[in-house]
Amino acid sequence: MPANQHIGSLDGLRTLAVACVVLTHYAGGDSVFRRMGIDWAVTGVHIFFALSGFLITKLLVEKYFVAQSFWRGITAFWIARVFRILPLAYIALSVVALCSVSPLPREFYLYNLTFTSNIFTAKTGDWLPHTGHFWSLAVEMQFYVLYPVLVWLFRPRLLLSLSVLIAALFILQHFPIAPATYVAPMFLLPARADAFLWGALVFAISNLRSFAGIVRSGMIVAAVCYYGQTLGAHFLGWPVLLPEMSIGNIVFASLVGLALLPGTLTQRILSNKVLVHFGTISYGIYVWHPIMWLMRSWINDVAHGILYIDHVPIVLVLVAMTIGFSEISWLLFEKRVNGFGQKLAKRALATDERLTPSYAEVKVKF
């Protein structure tokens, strides 16, 4: 796997992930998405987490921490992430604040602006108005803050370190991971971190000759255990014996691995130009999609009910609005801001990418 190369099939996987989230959130309570017993929104979010674990580890090892000081590398990494995540999130929050009919509580600004809304939800078991989905962005940002330090410290033994961390989290998740005041601790980073780490583990084994066999075997075994148990519990009342998301994260990380295998059917499907394009704007789709409920009401108020279309299902209207907003925000804003952030990160890194050694040349020990 060449260093610093864009992998189009992972964009296609992003499209599938965001589709799971959007269609679940837009679907009615009696839809097939709700009746199957599988939380497809959580599935989509955890695919994103596994993707982040893989890609962030790849970037840190191959780009930010290659022949660089720790502070120079981590500063460049944080600059790139901040310019990728914060600007669009803050614009979306501004749109919500401007279009909201009722005044927003102080907590809306306090927790969303600091990317700690997952802590609010964990404490209260409730969602902030119109931005409940920001909990996953909060988890991502908290991961970005902490994880680079671990990679820097443990990179000489990356595979072993990740395996130990995953095992430790597996044990931790079966004991209280938060004070009793947290009514929904599953929204905290420790409860979700193994999804990132499984994705990181895929990167750590990606240069092994047995990589293809490992991810295929992991996918088959974990998928049978995860979906078999989930569907059996939902339709047949079987007891849940295995920790669901711990097993599910193996499925999602294995899917990331399958997307990397050249020439396979999975890789060819995910490299489809349409899927790659929507994967490119998937962050905007994720950020905007719940806000479209609010925007639809606001537009109808201003334009005298222009979007009250009786013969068109509301889900199609919302999907069209989401894609439209995402395309516009990508072309007019995100693409430019992201490019500017990359330039600042490169300047902070102070290196010529042509002189950056490949991952194989670094000889990281496993």
Side-chain angles (χ1 to χ4, degrees):
M1 184 169 55
N4 300 328
Q5 177 180 333
H6 181 79
I7 305 171
S9 57
L10 296 186
D11 284 329
L13 188 54
R14 284 192 182 95
T15 298
L16 297 185
V18 79
C20 286
V21 176
V22 171
L23 292 178
T24 302
H25 287 168
Y26 283 168
D30 60 344
S31 70
V32 66
F33 292 100
R34 304 283 187 176
R35 294 199 303 265
M36 290 181 65
I38 297 172
D39 193 330
W40 293 105
V42 171
T43 294
V45 168
H46 276 244
I47 292 174
F48 276 126
F49 287 167
L51 273 167
S52 289
F54 172 85
L55 291 170
I56 294 308
T57 307
K58 187 175 189 296
L59 283 171
L60 290 171
V61 171
E62 294 180 350
K63 182 176 182 180
Y64 294 110
F65 287 158
V66 171
Q68 299 294 326
S69 71
F70 169 74
W71 288 112
R72 185 174 292 177
I74 201 170
T75 299
F77 169 76
W78 281 341
I79 289 173
R81 290 293 90 194
V82 163
F83 274 86
R84 182 67 188 103
I85 303 298
L86 265 65
L88 180 62
Y90 285 168
I91 283 182
L93 294 174
S94 301
V95 169
V96 171
L98 289 171
C99 297
S100 180
V101 177
S102 56
L104 297 168
R106 185 175 68 92
E107 289 81 4
F108 173 87
Y109 301 100
L110 175 63
Y111 286 99
N112 277 324
L113 292 175
T114 58
F115 284 86
T116 54
S117 60
N118 64 319
I119 297 176
F120 172 84
T121 300
K123 284 182 175 180
T124 65
D126 200 2
W127 305 104
L128 292 167
H130 310 293
T131 56
H133 62 307
F134 270 48
W135 76 268
S136 63
L137 300 185
V139 171
E140 288 259 8
M141 291 299 291
Q142 292 156 21
F143 174 76
Y144 295 155
V145 170
L146 299 174
Y147 183 65
V149 180
L150 295 177
V151 172
W152 177 265
L153 293 175
F154 299 133
R155 70 194 188 285
R157 293 278 186 250
L158 186 61
L159 178 57
L160 176 61
S161 301
L162 289 171
S163 301
V164 171
L165 285 171
I166 290 172
L169 278 175
F170 183 82
I171 296 172
L172 181 65
Q173 288 170 0
H174 291 79
F175 292 91
I177 61 173
T181 53
Y182 286 82
V183 298
M186 73 285 296
F187 292 101
L188 299 175
L189 177 61
R192 306 284 178 167
D194 58 328
F196 297 98
L197 296 180
W198 277 111
L201 194 67
V202 169
F203 170 77
I205 66 173
S206 60
N207 281 334
L208 299 179
R209 290 184 178 180
S210 55
F211 174 71
I214 292 173
V215 296
R216 287 190 177 113
S217 300
M219 182 68 172
I220 293 171
V221 174
V224 169
C225 293
Y226 176 61
Y227 291 107
Q229 176 180 256
T230 300
L231 296 174
H234 181 71
F235 291 106
L236 303 175
W238 291 352
V240 176
L241 301 176
L242 300 172
E244 289 189 283
M245 290 317 301
S246 296
I247 305 300
N249 288 330
I250 302 175
V251 177
F252 310 141
S254 298
L255 189 56
V256 174
L258 291 176
L260 301 174
L261 300 179
T264 62
L265 179 62
T266 302
Q267 194 268 345
R268 292 199 302 271
I269 291 174
L270 294 177
S271 298
N272 176 274
K273 291 183 179 180
V274 175
L275 293 181
V276 170
H277 172 72
F278 283 116
T280 302
I281 64 171
S282 60
Y283 175 53
I285 292 174
Y286 185 82
V287 167
W288 287 118
H289 82 276
I291 300 173
M292 289 303 102
W293 294 98
L294 175 65
M295 289 301 301
R296 178 176 176 271
S297 297
W298 182 82
I299 291 171
N300 277 326
D301 288 342
V302 172
H304 307 291
I306 191 173
L307 293 180
Y308 287 125
I309 308 172
D310 294 335
H311 60 281
V312 178
I314 187 173
V315 63
L316 296 183
V317 175
L318 293 172
V319 167
M321 290 178 63
T322 299
I323 293 175
F325 266 76
S326 302
E327 293 281 6
I328 292 170
S329 70
W330 170 253
L331 291 173
L332 299 184
F333 180 72
E334 290 178 75
K335 189 175 181 179
R336 300 180 181 184
V337 173
N338 190 36
F340 180 69
Q342 292 295 330
K343 289 181 180 179
L344 290 181
K346 186 176 180 180
R347 186 179 301 174
L349 196 59
T351 185
D352 187 337
E353 291 185 356
R354 293 172 298 178
L355 302 179
T356 301
S358 69
Y359 178 67
E361 293 169 338
V362 177
K363 296 182 180 178
V364 175
K365 297 178 181 178
F366 293 141

